[in-house]
Amino acid sequence: MTATTDFRDTPLAPIRPASGDYSQHRIVPARYPARTVGTIVAALLIAATLNSILGNERWGWNVFAEWFLSEPVLMGLGRTLLLTLLGALFGFTLGTALALARVSGSPLLSGLSWTFTWIFRSIPLIVLLLILNNLGYLYETITIGVPYTSINFFSYQTTQLISPFTAALLGLSINQAAFTSEIIRGGILSVDQGQLEAAASLGLPRSRQASRIILPQAMRSIVPPAFNDIIGLAKGTSNVYILALPELFYTIQVIYRRNLEVIPLLMVATIWYLIILSVLSAVQYFIERHYARGALRNPPPPVLRAILEWLGQFRFVPQPTPSTTPVTAPRFVGSARSAIEPRGISAGERAAAGGTVAIHNVSKSFGPLKVLDRLSLTIPAGSVTAILGQSGSGKSTLLRSINHLERVDQGFIAIDGELIGYRQEGGLLYELKEKDILKRRVDVGMVFQNFNLFPHLTVLDNITEAPVTVRGVPHTEAEAQARDLLARVGLSEKADAYPRQLSGGQQQRVAIARALAMRPKVLLFDEPTSALDPELVNEVLDVIKELARSGVTLIIVTHEIGFAREVADTVVFMDQGEIIEQGPPSVVLGAPNHPRTREFLAKVL
Ligand code: ADP
Ligand code: MG
């Protein structure tokens, strides 16, 4: 039997799913009816609320208009803003110092910080404000000098020094610092320990480690709760009315006691607080974006572009570009028999049968950079395919597209005739919703270069998590299966260890066991040994060799040429988003046709 497949001979219709050509189909975007109903209900509620507020005379909007921008209100607003700004500034400075003291090695500093937080989180803000305002009764003068001598640098009447404004600012700052210190400490704890170790091993001084490495990364988890706190502070400034300090709320009270227009004036205060909070929320958004740099593989687009894209989607429905040119024929020059027939394995073990992967005319760009360029490839069930190529040639992007971690711009990928990301009905392709994509993804396992084990779960829990929660396997069964898999990868005794307690090779073998536990039809390996020490490489390759005989379809991006020669049925060579050569290892690795392949092999061999 000849295994040569030539797409040029394949008519485009009727549909032949295995060929992966769905370009004649119309794409129907995913619809979310519940979301649409929710939107309509929300719009109706908003309209009803607005109608009741604007249509009822008792709200007194004319009185509101009279006072909203009046001088006393603006003066009060100014004080509120000043208190918020200074309170946040002092609170955060003191809070950061307290948090660093708390995580420092010094028990005294740490204890002091703990006590401060304990006391000032316990005292109600109003009580604290009143105590500070009455400090003049406790201490008539405040003096700085050398104790038990008559040397004084500075001495002042307490009542002169602590005006209501100072008392308010002190109280708010201290209260803020006590809460903020815990938020910042939480952020510090969330930073990976490896980061500390890397910073320390580079010899960075402690202060630099904190300011340059730890705090910026901690900011991602600090910013949202911190802004909650600042918003609390902006509203909390209204507590200082008990010190008769004419900030916004106190001013409003003075006015409505005089003119008895309570509701309109409370509305003046409400709207101003709303404006302050909106501005704070906007500031938070931009600070969060700033600290998200590098944290996401695909960061969200800038606000303006996101809005334009959102508006744009109502104007046109994206159509797949029909393939006008004949498809480059993926050829399996060698015998496909060896690929399809799992070698040396009993029928029973073949339970997790492999899937056929059909990649048809797939393109993908990141901005102006075309990473996959009309790439087509058919991978038979149960075969082993090694993908080689220079760094940056698009190998990872191809694997990530097969797993739908990356969405292709054009073309289609199907596993056993089931399209990735779409459901086919007649001539229509319905875009899948996120939860359906997740369901389909369980057929495709992926092993990453840097393992990506869950560091806070034991080895056993890493493996059983998905079978139990996704596949609904009973816990005991999942655990027995996990122990079997661990035995297969030679790690029986590590079931209760945490990933960070394992060597790289062991972690990668756990990652393989974790992927296998889902009984995938296709298993993707993205440079599974590149992060490993040379002596650990073989222990992982041996496990993969074992798998090659199990019937699962394996697609492996690797730089291990010897391994590819031994294990792969097909070697695919990629260059600049295209497949420039493919065939059995003896041909592609032994007698390559393309100069680029020869050049690459000369470098790595
Ligand atoms: P390979 O795995 O072959 O080394 P990749 O598929 O990872 O290559 O990347 C191909 C190209 O795409 C590289 O130039 C890379 O910088 C770029 N790239 C990959 N992912 C992204 C992304 N999310 N955003 C922008 N560029 C990307
Ligand atoms: Mg890569």
Side-chain angles (χ1 to χ4, degrees), residues 281-518:
S281 304
V283 172
Q284 172 180 0
Y285 174 81
F286 287 103
I287 294 185
E288 270 188 34
R289 272 187 79 90
H290 174 81
Y291 284 107
R293 285 173 314 169
L296 300 175
R297 204 182 150 100
N298 292 320
V303 196
L304 200 63
R305 209 172 82 211
I307 294 174
L308 287 179
E309 274 172 17
W310 185 74
L311 289 176
Q313 79 180 0
F314 293 109
R315 269 191 275 117
F316 64 91
V317 177
Q319 295 287 338
T321 322
S323 52
T324 43
T325 45
V327 180
T328 348
R331 286 209 166 85
F332 292 101
V333 189
S335 156
R337 181 154 290 276
S338 69
I340 293 160
E341 206 87 304
R343 287 142 298 174
I345 192 158
S346 72
E349 277 179 281
R350 234 181 290 159
T356 307
V357 181
I359 299 165
H360 181 80
N361 216 22
V362 159
S363 294
K364 168 84 186 169
S365 301
F366 289 113
L369 182 71
K370 193 145 204 188
V371 180
L372 296 179
D373 195 359
R374 293 198 295 152
L375 185 145
S376 292
L377 177 68
T378 303
I379 297 167
S383 65
V384 180
T385 304
I387 302 180
L388 307 183
Q390 309 262 8
S391 172
S393 55
K395 307 180 299 291
S396 295
T397 307
L398 179 63
L399 282 199
R400 293 167 59 80
S401 305
I402 295 176
N403 203 12
H404 212 272
L405 286 172
E406 220 63 81
R407 202 193 146 125
V408 299
D409 302 334
Q410 194 193 62
F412 299 95
I413 301 176
I415 293 174
D416 278 349
E418 286 214 64
L419 276 177
I420 305 282
Y422 301 98
R423 179 172 52 83
Q424 184 200 343
E425 248 174 51
L428 295 179
L429 295 179
Y430 291 92
E431 218 172 27
L432 287 184
K433 295 176 191 179
E434 189 57 35
K435 69 172 200 284
D436 298 317
I437 291 173
L438 278 176
K439 264 188 224 154
R440 288 217 180 157
R441 203 177 267 157
V442 300
D443 283 339
V444 185
M446 183 142 184
V447 175
F448 300 87
Q449 180 174 355
N450 43 7
F451 329 136
N452 289 349
L453 291 175
F454 307 127
H456 59 300
L457 300 180
T458 62
V459 163
L460 204 64
D461 289 340
N462 260 280
I463 301 175
T464 56
E465 175 62 26
V468 170
T469 50
V470 183
R471 288 243 196 250
V473 177
H475 205 279
T476 44
E477 197 179 307
E479 199 172 309
Q481 187 204 2
R483 287 189 192 281
D484 268 1
L485 284 167
L486 280 176
R488 245 171 101 186
V489 299
L491 286 173
S492 299
E493 76 287 6
K494 296 290 185 192
D496 297 315
Y498 283 89
R500 290 212 177 95
Q501 298 167 329
L502 304 180
S503 74
Q506 291 170 332
Q507 288 191 47
Q508 192 61 302
R509 285 185 279 152
V510 173
I512 294 173
R514 181 174 69 175
L516 283 175
M518 291 300 280

Side-chain angles (χ1 to χ4, degrees), residues 88 90 95 97 112 115 124-125 149 201 210 237 245-246 290 364 379 395 404 410 443 447 485 561-562 567 587 596:
F90 295 152
L112 214 60
T115 313
L125 178 58
T149 65
S201 71
T237 53
L245 182 73
H290 174 81
K364 168 84 186 169
I379 297 167
K395 307 180 299 291
H404 212 272
Q410 194 193 62
D443 283 339
V447 175
L485 284 167
I561 305 294
V567 178
V587 177
R596 280 273 171 73

Side-chain angles (χ1 to χ4, degrees), residues 83-105:
L83 277 176
T84 307
L85 199 76
L86 292 179
L89 192 70
F90 295 152
F92 266 81
T93 313
L94 183 56
T96 308
L98 284 168
L100 290 173
R102 182 76 189 278
V103 299
S104 75

